[in-house]
Amino acid sequence: MSLLTPTVTIVLFLIFLGSVSCSGDRNVNKCRSYCGNLTVDFPFTTRSGCGHHGYRELLFCVNDVLMLHISSGSYRVLEIDYAYKALTIHDSDMSTCNSIVRGRKGNGFVVESWRAQYLNPAPDNIFMLIGCTAKSPLFQGFPEKHLPCRNVSGMGCEDYYGCPAWGLGPTHSSKAYGLSPPECCSVAYDAIRAINLTKLDCEGYSSAYSLAPLRVSGPGEWSYGIRVSYSVPGDYSFCRACEATGGTCGYDAVAVHDLCLCDGWNSTTTCDTVFGASSLQKIPLLDVTAGFLTCIVVWATL
């Protein structure tokens, strides 16, 4: 038997290994996913290892409904606006123009401290706190001190009182802050940094947002929900460089640092840098064994 036959067998085996490696799970760089009619893309994710690690364990797809979960509770995601870097979320126990929900059932909005630097309600989002007591931190020093209640982007409680849910509306004294704290106090999120109904000693809340330059005529036409602005923490140039080389931005779920997800392998730099590889794709042992036996049969036949 000539030396050529084993050489041919080895070459066949190496070709087989290469084909197994290249035909592996190429979905490693396809982090974009869908939940109902919403697209989940960077920096968000519903999969471990995809997106930016700052948004890990934030979004969950439950029966084709995209949910956002933070320390104050779970919210339904109505929209992700990637152009303006904003999400619109909904709390089912939040008051609207047609319904006032009391009993502290609403989530409010409280985000984890490590997320707060890049995930917060938008500046044009207003929170209207309902039924807060005189002991609320909102009214400490009332009536001498200036109340935090004010309009935001042309929206406020004075207009909100005109909603059908209020019926005849609060009395003039409560609206004018003459004898007791107002029945409704509208605030911007930056003024108090957390909407916690228990700590604020309030019965309920509503939230609405303005999409400038659109201006509506009254509270019946407001957009009710919570408009949340987001940003990409850290150096976004890593992601741009990764995508420029055909990769997808992700992260190491164990070490929690940026990764460039390439075609079958991961890199700590870009897909053009082999030496930055962090974890080459592992070829299944069964496939290797089957390939080796196949090559033995070919060698024996030759």
Side-chain angles (χ1 to χ4, degrees):
M1 184 177 294
S2 68
L3 293 175
L4 180 61
T5 300
T7 302
V8 171
T9 304
I10 293 173
V11 171
L12 289 173
F13 184 59
L14 292 175
I15 291 174
F16 171 79
L17 287 178
S19 66
V20 171
S21 176
C22 292
S23 63
D25 183 9
R26 292 177 179 268
N27 288 333
V28 67
N29 67 340
K30 298 185 182 297
C31 283
R32 180 181 292 113
S33 60
Y34 302 90
C35 184
N37 64 342
L38 297 178
T39 301
V40 181
D41 210 342
F42 187 86
F44 303 108
T45 181
T46 56
R47 307 172 185 174
S48 178
C50 286
H52 192 280
H53 57 79
Y55 294 99
R56 66 189 184 276
E57 299 178 354
L58 177 70
L59 299 182
F60 301 88
C61 189
V62 182
N63 297 326
D64 284 335
V65 175
L66 190 62
M67 302 296 294
L68 178 144
H69 183 78
I70 53 178
S71 58
S72 56
S74 295
Y75 309 76
R76 180 170 183 169
V77 180
L78 303 180
E79 179 190 21
I80 303 179
D81 189 335
Y82 293 100
Y84 289 93
K85 292 184 171 56
L87 303 93
T88 303
I89 60 178
H90 174 71
D91 177 3
S92 59
D93 289 319
M94 180 185 73
S95 298
T96 63
C97 197
N98 296 314
S99 175
I100 300 294
V101 181
R102 298 176 183 269
R104 298 182 182 175
K105 297 179 181 179
N107 291 333
F109 192 93
V110 181
V111 68
E112 296 87 345
S113 57
W114 61 275
R115 289 195 207 271
Q117 59 181 324
Y118 48 83
L119 187 71
N120 275 305
D124 57 0
N125 192 101
I126 185 172
F127 288 94
M128 292 167 284
L129 300 166
I130 299 170
C132 305
T133 69
K135 296 180 181 180
S136 170
L138 292 171
F139 309 127
Q140 292 303 305
F142 175 84
E144 288 82 9
K145 290 188 177 180
H146 175 68
L147 289 171
C149 310
R150 63 182 181 87
N151 286 0
V152 177
S153 297
M155 299 178 293
C157 287
E158 289 297 315
D159 290 328
Y160 188 50
Y161 287 139
C163 283
W166 289 99
L168 297 177
T171 63
H172 176 74
S173 61
S174 62
K175 290 172 64 175
Y177 317 154
L179 301 176
S180 61
E183 183 66 16
C184 172
C185 178
S186 51
V187 297
Y189 185 80
D190 285 344
I192 53 179
R193 305 303 302 172
I195 307 298
N196 185 318
L197 298 182
T198 300
K199 290 185 177 181
L200 293 174
D201 207 3
C202 301
E203 284 295 311
Y205 83 106
S206 182
S207 176
Y209 56 92
S210 172
L211 295 177
L214 181 65
R215 288 291 182 267
V216 295
S217 58
E221 298 181 9
W222 290 351
S223 297
Y224 290 89
I226 304 175
R227 184 83 167 173
V228 182
S229 297
Y230 71 87
S231 61
V232 179
D235 187 5
Y236 189 58
S237 62
F238 174 89
C239 186
R240 289 196 297 267
C242 171
E243 292 177 341
T245 58
T248 301
C249 297
Y251 67 93
D252 187 316
V254 177
V256 192
H257 61 68
D258 293 328
L259 277 184
C260 186
L261 309 182
C262 306
D263 192 5
W265 58 286
N266 300 335
S267 171
T268 55
T269 53
T270 68
C271 293
D272 286 344
T273 310
V274 177
F275 295 104
S278 63
S279 58
L280 294 176
Q281 180 178 338
K282 297 179 180 178
I283 304 172
L285 180 60
L286 183 60
D287 290 343
V288 175
T289 304
F292 179 74
L293 292 177
T294 301
C295 291
I296 290 296
V297 172
V298 173
W299 177 77
T301 302
L302 293 176

